[in-house]
Amino acid sequence: QVQLVQSGAEVRKPGASVRVSCKPSGYSLSDTYVHWVRQAPGQGLEWMGWIGSKSGDTKYAQKFVGRIAMTRDTSITTFYMELTRLTSDDTAMYYCARSSFCDVWGQGTLVTVSS
Amino acid sequence: ETVLTQSPGTLSLSPGERATLSCRASQSVTSNYLAWYQQRPGQAPRLLIYGASTRVTGIPDRFSGSGSGTDFTLTISRLEPEDFAVYYCQQYRSSPQVFGQGTKLEI
Protein backbone atom coordinates (compact mmCIF):
# COMPACT_ATOMS: atom_id res chain seq x y z
CA GLN A 1 0.00 0.00 0.00
CA VAL A 2 1.39 3.35 -1.06
CA GLN A 3 1.70 5.78 1.82
CA LEU A 4 3.43 8.98 2.81
CA VAL A 5 4.24 9.06 6.51
CA GLN A 6 4.89 12.45 8.07
CA SER A 7 6.59 13.46 11.27
CA GLY A 8 4.68 14.42 14.41
CA ALA A 9 3.17 17.67 15.59
CA GLU A 10 5.45 20.59 16.38
CA VAL A 11 5.15 23.69 18.56
CA ARG A 12 7.40 26.67 17.89
CA LYS A 13 7.76 30.21 19.11
CA PRO A 14 7.52 33.14 16.71
CA GLY A 15 10.77 33.66 14.83
CA ALA A 16 11.80 30.02 15.08
CA SER A 17 12.06 27.43 12.31
CA VAL A 18 10.41 24.06 11.79
CA ARG A 19 11.30 21.06 9.66
CA VAL A 20 8.66 18.51 8.68
CA SER A 21 9.58 15.15 7.20
CA CYS A 22 7.70 12.95 4.74
CA LYS A 23 8.70 9.35 4.05
CA PRO A 24 7.19 7.33 1.22
CA SER A 25 6.47 3.66 1.72
CA GLY A 26 5.06 1.06 -0.61
CA TYR A 27 6.62 2.54 -3.74
CA SER A 28 10.13 3.15 -4.95
CA LEU A 29 11.64 6.55 -5.45
CA SER A 30 11.03 7.48 -9.05
CA ASP A 31 11.02 10.52 -11.25
CA THR A 32 8.06 12.32 -9.75
CA TYR A 33 7.33 15.30 -7.57
CA VAL A 34 6.58 15.72 -3.92
CA HIS A 35 4.41 18.71 -3.13
CA TRP A 36 3.85 20.50 0.13
CA VAL A 37 0.43 21.95 0.89
CA ARG A 38 -0.75 23.64 4.05
CA GLN A 39 -4.12 24.37 5.59
CA ALA A 40 -4.66 26.95 8.30
CA PRO A 41 -7.42 26.20 10.82
CA GLY A 42 -10.82 26.45 9.13
CA GLN A 43 -9.26 27.57 5.86
CA GLY A 44 -8.64 26.14 2.41
CA LEU A 45 -5.65 24.43 0.87
CA GLU A 46 -2.55 26.46 0.06
CA TRP A 47 0.09 25.09 -2.33
CA MET A 48 3.62 25.79 -1.06
CA GLY A 49 5.84 24.19 -3.68
CA TRP A 50 7.37 20.97 -5.01
CA ILE A 51 10.63 19.09 -5.14
CA GLY A 52 11.69 16.67 -7.87
CA SER A 53 12.40 13.33 -6.28
CA LYS A 54 15.27 12.45 -8.62
CA SER A 55 16.67 15.84 -9.57
CA GLY A 56 16.15 17.67 -6.31
CA ASP A 57 14.91 20.65 -8.32
CA THR A 58 12.49 22.87 -6.43
CA LYS A 59 9.77 25.37 -7.15
CA TYR A 60 8.24 27.49 -4.41
CA ALA A 61 5.16 29.65 -4.21
CA GLN A 62 6.27 33.26 -4.33
CA LYS A 63 4.99 34.11 -0.85
CA PHE A 64 7.38 31.59 0.73
CA VAL A 65 10.50 32.38 -1.30
CA GLY A 66 13.34 33.27 1.04
CA ARG A 67 12.09 31.36 4.06
CA ILE A 68 11.28 27.88 2.74
CA ALA A 69 13.50 25.00 1.73
CA MET A 70 12.44 21.63 0.37
CA THR A 71 15.09 18.95 0.40
CA ARG A 72 15.39 15.17 0.17
CA ASP A 73 17.70 12.57 1.56
CA THR A 74 17.95 9.88 -1.08
CA SER A 75 19.83 7.50 1.22
CA ILE A 76 16.81 7.18 3.50
CA THR A 77 14.22 8.24 0.92
CA THR A 78 12.83 11.02 3.06
CA PHE A 79 11.65 14.45 2.02
CA TYR A 80 11.81 17.56 4.16
CA MET A 81 10.18 20.95 4.24
CA GLU A 82 11.75 23.63 6.42
CA LEU A 83 10.04 26.95 7.09
CA THR A 84 11.90 29.73 8.88
CA ARG A 85 10.96 33.01 10.60
CA LEU A 86 7.67 31.58 11.76
CA THR A 87 4.72 33.76 12.74
CA SER A 88 1.30 32.90 14.11
CA ASP A 89 0.03 32.94 10.51
CA ASP A 90 2.09 29.81 9.89
CA THR A 91 -0.02 27.81 12.33
CA ALA A 92 -1.48 25.13 10.06
CA MET A 93 -1.64 21.49 9.08
CA TYR A 94 1.16 20.74 6.64
CA TYR A 95 0.77 17.97 4.09
CA CYS A 96 3.10 16.32 1.64
CA ALA A 97 1.61 14.77 -1.49
CA ARG A 98 2.92 12.74 -4.41
CA SER A 99 2.93 13.49 -8.12
CA SER A 100 1.79 16.40 -10.29
CA PHE A 101 -1.81 15.81 -9.30
CA CYS A 102 -1.59 14.86 -5.67
CA ASP A 103 -2.73 11.26 -5.77
CA VAL A 104 -1.31 10.19 -2.41
CA TRP A 105 -1.24 12.42 0.68
CA GLY A 106 0.53 12.22 3.97
CA GLN A 107 -1.53 12.25 7.15
CA GLY A 108 -0.55 15.83 7.90
CA THR A 109 1.67 17.48 10.51
CA LEU A 110 0.21 20.15 12.75
CA VAL A 111 2.57 23.06 13.31
CA THR A 112 1.55 25.49 16.03
CA VAL A 113 3.32 28.83 16.36
CA SER A 114 2.67 30.46 19.70
CA SER A 115 4.54 32.52 22.22
CA GLU B 1 -0.80 33.24 -11.94
CA THR B 2 -4.03 31.38 -12.59
CA VAL B 3 -6.82 32.05 -10.10
CA LEU B 4 -9.45 29.35 -9.57
CA THR B 5 -12.88 30.45 -8.39
CA GLN B 6 -15.26 27.80 -7.08
CA SER B 7 -18.98 28.22 -6.80
CA PRO B 8 -21.11 28.05 -4.87
CA GLY B 9 -19.23 28.53 -1.60
CA THR B 10 -21.74 26.31 0.17
CA LEU B 11 -24.23 23.89 -1.36
CA SER B 12 -27.07 22.53 0.74
CA LEU B 13 -28.63 19.34 -0.58
CA SER B 14 -30.12 16.06 0.62
CA PRO B 15 -28.99 12.47 0.12
CA GLY B 16 -30.12 11.16 -3.25
CA GLU B 17 -29.99 14.57 -4.91
CA ARG B 18 -27.59 15.65 -7.64
CA ALA B 19 -24.74 18.06 -6.88
CA THR B 20 -23.07 20.32 -9.44
CA LEU B 21 -19.89 22.13 -8.38
CA SER B 22 -18.17 24.71 -10.55
CA CYS B 23 -14.53 25.72 -10.91
CA ARG B 24 -13.66 28.66 -13.14
CA ALA B 25 -10.10 29.58 -14.07
CA SER B 26 -8.85 33.10 -14.78
CA GLN B 27 -6.95 31.75 -17.77
CA SER B 28 -7.13 28.60 -19.82
CA VAL B 29 -5.92 25.44 -18.09
CA THR B 30 -4.08 23.87 -21.00
CA SER B 31 -4.29 20.14 -21.54
CA ASN B 32 -7.07 20.12 -18.95
CA TYR B 33 -4.61 19.68 -16.10
CA LEU B 34 -7.37 20.13 -13.55
CA ALA B 35 -7.95 17.93 -10.49
CA TRP B 36 -10.73 17.61 -7.92
CA TYR B 37 -10.27 16.65 -4.28
CA GLN B 38 -12.61 15.74 -1.47
CA GLN B 39 -11.78 16.59 2.13
CA ARG B 40 -13.78 15.25 5.03
CA PRO B 41 -13.41 16.82 8.49
CA GLY B 42 -10.19 15.84 10.20
CA GLN B 43 -8.85 14.03 7.13
CA ALA B 44 -6.30 14.73 4.44
CA PRO B 45 -7.66 15.58 1.00
CA ARG B 46 -8.38 12.72 -1.37
CA LEU B 47 -7.93 12.87 -5.12
CA LEU B 48 -11.16 12.13 -7.00
CA ILE B 49 -10.60 13.31 -10.57
CA TYR B 50 -7.56 14.31 -12.65
CA GLY B 51 -7.21 15.44 -16.22
CA ALA B 52 -10.55 17.18 -15.69
CA SER B 53 -12.53 13.97 -16.25
CA THR B 54 -10.50 10.87 -15.33
CA ARG B 55 -11.81 9.24 -12.21
CA VAL B 56 -9.27 7.72 -9.83
CA THR B 57 -9.48 3.95 -9.39
CA GLY B 58 -11.80 3.14 -6.53
CA ILE B 59 -13.78 6.36 -6.70
CA PRO B 60 -17.51 5.61 -7.16
CA ASP B 61 -18.90 6.28 -10.62
CA ARG B 62 -21.45 8.73 -9.20
CA PHE B 63 -18.53 11.21 -9.29
CA SER B 64 -17.79 12.68 -12.70
CA GLY B 65 -15.74 15.60 -13.97
CA SER B 66 -16.18 17.62 -17.11
CA GLY B 67 -15.15 20.84 -18.78
CA SER B 68 -12.21 22.37 -20.57
CA GLY B 69 -10.39 25.65 -20.99
CA THR B 70 -11.58 27.84 -18.14
CA ASP B 71 -14.80 26.15 -16.99
CA PHE B 72 -14.88 22.86 -15.14
CA THR B 73 -17.58 20.94 -13.28
CA LEU B 74 -17.67 18.17 -10.71
CA THR B 75 -20.98 16.32 -10.64
CA ILE B 76 -22.14 13.89 -7.99
CA SER B 77 -25.14 12.13 -9.47
CA ARG B 78 -26.82 10.78 -6.33
CA LEU B 79 -25.50 12.03 -3.03
CA GLU B 80 -24.61 9.55 -0.34
CA PRO B 81 -24.22 10.60 3.31
CA GLU B 82 -20.42 10.21 3.10
CA ASP B 83 -20.25 12.72 0.20
CA PHE B 84 -20.98 15.69 2.43
CA ALA B 85 -17.55 17.29 2.64
CA VAL B 86 -15.49 20.11 1.17
CA TYR B 87 -14.38 19.88 -2.47
CA TYR B 88 -11.40 21.64 -4.02
CA CYS B 89 -10.24 22.04 -7.59
CA GLN B 90 -6.58 22.52 -8.48
CA GLN B 91 -4.73 23.29 -11.69
CA TYR B 92 -1.44 21.43 -12.06
CA ARG B 93 -0.41 22.62 -15.52
CA SER B 94 2.04 25.19 -14.19
CA SER B 95 3.40 26.60 -10.97
CA PRO B 96 1.98 27.94 -8.73
CA GLN B 97 -0.37 24.98 -8.70
CA VAL B 98 -3.15 26.87 -7.01
CA PHE B 99 -6.29 25.48 -5.43
CA GLY B 100 -9.75 26.94 -5.56
CA GLN B 101 -11.16 28.21 -2.28
CA GLY B 102 -13.42 25.18 -1.92
CA THR B 103 -17.12 24.31 -1.99
CA LYS B 104 -18.69 22.98 1.18
CA LEU B 105 -21.36 20.41 0.44
CA GLU B 106 -23.70 20.19 3.41
CA ILE B 107 -26.92 18.43 4.26
Side-chain angles (χ1 to χ4, degrees), chain A residues 54-115:
Chain A
K54 255 190 180 179
S55 66
D57 291 344
T58 55
K59 180 72 173 180
Y60 304 136
Q62 187 60 41
K63 71 176 288 186
F64 299 108
V65 171
R67 70 182 190 104
I68 192 170
M70 296 178 188
T71 57
R72 85 234 190 277
D73 184 333
T74 54
S75 65
I76 59 172
T77 63
T78 299
F79 295 86
Y80 302 95
M81 187 283 299
E82 182 172 25
L83 195 60
T84 63
R85 303 196 302 275
L86 294 169
T87 72
S88 58
D89 290 340
D90 294 314
T91 293
M93 186 70 79
Y94 289 76
Y95 296 100
C96 60
R98 183 185 77 164
S99 187
S100 297
F101 47 84
C102 303
D103 62 344
V104 178
W105 292 68
Q107 82 276 18
T109 297
L110 180 62
V111 175
T112 303
V113 183
S114 174
S115 55

Side-chain angles (χ1 to χ4, degrees), chain B residues 38-62:
Chain B
Q38 176 193 67
Q39 188 178 32
R40 295 171 176 148
Q43 296 185 15
R46 176 174 71 148
L47 177 68
L48 301 175
I49 302 282
Y50 63 94
S53 61
T54 303
R55 196 168 46 248
V56 171
T57 301
I59 299 300
D61 61 6
R62 63 179 181 274

Side-chain angles (χ1 to χ4, degrees), chain A residues 15-59:
Chain A
S17 300
V18 70
R19 189 176 79 159
V20 179
S21 69
C22 171
K23 184 172 177 61
S25 69
Y27 76 99
S28 60
L29 199 64
S30 60
D31 193 13
T32 184
Y33 299 97
V34 170
H35 297 258
W36 290 89
V37 176
R38 76 177 185 179
Q39 186 171 37
Q43 302 301 308
L45 302 174
E46 181 176 31
W47 181 81
M48 302 179 73
W50 55 252
I51 179 168
S53 60
K54 255 190 180 179
S55 66
D57 291 344
T58 55
K59 180 72 173 180

Side-chain angles (χ1 to χ4, degrees), chain B residues 23-101:
Chain B
C23 176
R24 179 162 292 177
S26 60
Q27 54 191 289
S28 182
V29 179
T30 53
S31 303
N32 291 339
Y33 281 15
L34 192 287
W36 289 94
Y37 303 87
Q38 176 193 67
Q39 188 178 32
R40 295 171 176 148
Q43 296 185 15
R46 176 174 71 148
L47 177 68
L48 301 175
I49 302 282
Y50 63 94
S53 61
T54 303
R55 196 168 46 248
V56 171
T57 301
I59 299 300
D61 61 6
R62 63 179 181 274
F63 290 90
S64 62
S66 62
S68 63
T70 60
D71 289 297
F72 299 88
T73 301
L74 175 70
T75 302
I76 311 171
S77 59
R78 294 172 309 281
L79 287 166
E80 298 286 343
E82 62 267 27
D83 299 338
F84 291 91
V86 181
Y87 292 84
Y88 296 94
C89 58
Q90 182 202 27
Q91 72 81 19
Y92 55 95
R93 177 63 182 87
S94 61
S95 297
Q97 299 187 189
V98 297
F99 291 89
Q101 82 279 18

